Amino acid sequence: MRIILLGPPGAGKGTQAVLICKHFGIPHISTGEMLREQVSSGSELGRQVKSLLDAGELVSDQLVMKVLEDRLLRPDCAAGYLLDGVPRTVVQAEILKGFLGASKTALTRVVQLEVPEQVLLDRIRHRGGAGSRSDDTAEVAAKRLQVYWAQTAPVAEFYRNEGLLRQVDGVGTVEEVSARILAAVGG
Ligand code: AMP
């Protein structure tokens, strides 16, 4: 099971990722989470990326894909994984394709969660302040959405052309949405 979960900020990717990973017993690979860990550990990499995360802008493709590749080479990823928040650009999708080809593995499915823009803004605003993420303010949320439409939405088209994309309605209860995702990945 090698799954990619795509969708705009506020679509519920993180919540759904945890449930889907539990269902299949696969690791949840979130580049955002890995980058935030680097920032809080105060590493050199963390210092390099902090201002980008805080502004809702993307970290460079090469840097993110190096972090991802190192993670995917760890033994717990041998039987599969779920990617959350990556690839975020078509360049990242191409780098991942090269990496998968070199390791003679293939993706099972790419699922895109679809949620109307107004619902996303409401959800993000709701989350803002309550959590510990410094990029959860309304202003940064709007920026992250803008970055999503400009740079990440084309990733769905990339996977549609590869015949891997399934679009799932992301509006509903957590259980309803996860049932739809499981149906889309054939679980
Ligand atoms: P996320 O937790 O997936 O929303 O990611 C939080 C932040 O980490 C993003 O706003 C970006 O600054 C950075 N980030 C996470 N994943 C990527 C990626 N694949 N490419 C570039 N930047 C990323």
Side-chain angles (χ1 to χ4, degrees):
M1 257 312 153
R2 291 184 201 85
I3 305 167
I4 294 178
L5 198 51
L6 285 180
K13 286 193 303 299
T15 305
Q16 291 299 333
V18 171
L19 295 172
I20 304 302
C21 286
K22 201 169 159 200
H23 180 89
F24 290 114
I26 52 176
H28 172 198
I29 313 293
S30 157
T31 43
E33 200 53 54
M34 289 190 274
L35 293 169
R36 280 190 291 279
E37 275 165 25
Q38 292 290 329
V39 171
S40 44
S41 77
S43 70
E44 176 53 33
L45 175 67
R47 277 196 292 275
Q48 280 174 36
V49 301
K50 185 181 187 313
S51 57
L52 291 169
L53 263 72
D54 286 347
E57 312 229 9
L58 295 186
V59 171
S60 85
D61 293 327
Q62 281 65 28
L63 199 154
V64 167
M65 294 313 281
K66 176 76 180 92
V67 169
L68 179 67
E69 191 167 331
D70 288 349
R71 181 66 189 85
L72 295 186
L73 287 171
R74 288 189 8 210
D76 64 331
C77 289
Y81 45 77
L82 180 147
L83 303 185
D84 163 12
V86 66
R88 275 285 223 289
T89 66
V90 171
V91 171
Q92 291 180 19
E94 275 161 356
I95 295 172
L96 179 65
K97 188 177 178 181
F99 175 71
L100 292 168
S103 55
K104 300 206 165 23
T105 53
L107 294 169
T108 310
R109 195 64 77 205
V110 178
V111 175
Q112 183 181 34
L113 278 183
E114 294 191 299
V115 176
E117 174 115 19
Q118 195 49 52
V119 177
L120 294 173
L121 287 169
D122 289 347
R123 283 189 191 172
I124 299 173
R125 209 167 290 130
H126 213 77
R127 188 165 81 181
S132 55
R133 286 181 57 165
S134 54
D135 60 355
D136 257 354
T137 63
E139 192 187 317
V140 178
K143 175 67 190 174
R144 290 170 68 225
L145 266 177
Q146 187 193 325
V147 167
Y148 177 83
W149 298 123
Q151 302 194 61
T152 308
V155 173
E157 291 315 303
F158 178 94
Y159 288 119
R160 190 195 303 284
N161 293 334
E162 303 257 312
L164 288 168
L165 186 72
R166 293 287 182 281
Q167 288 170 311
V168 163
D169 179 2
V171 181
T173 65
V174 169
E175 293 75 18
E176 281 163 355
V177 176
S178 58
R180 289 176 201 143
I181 297 173
L182 287 176
V185 298

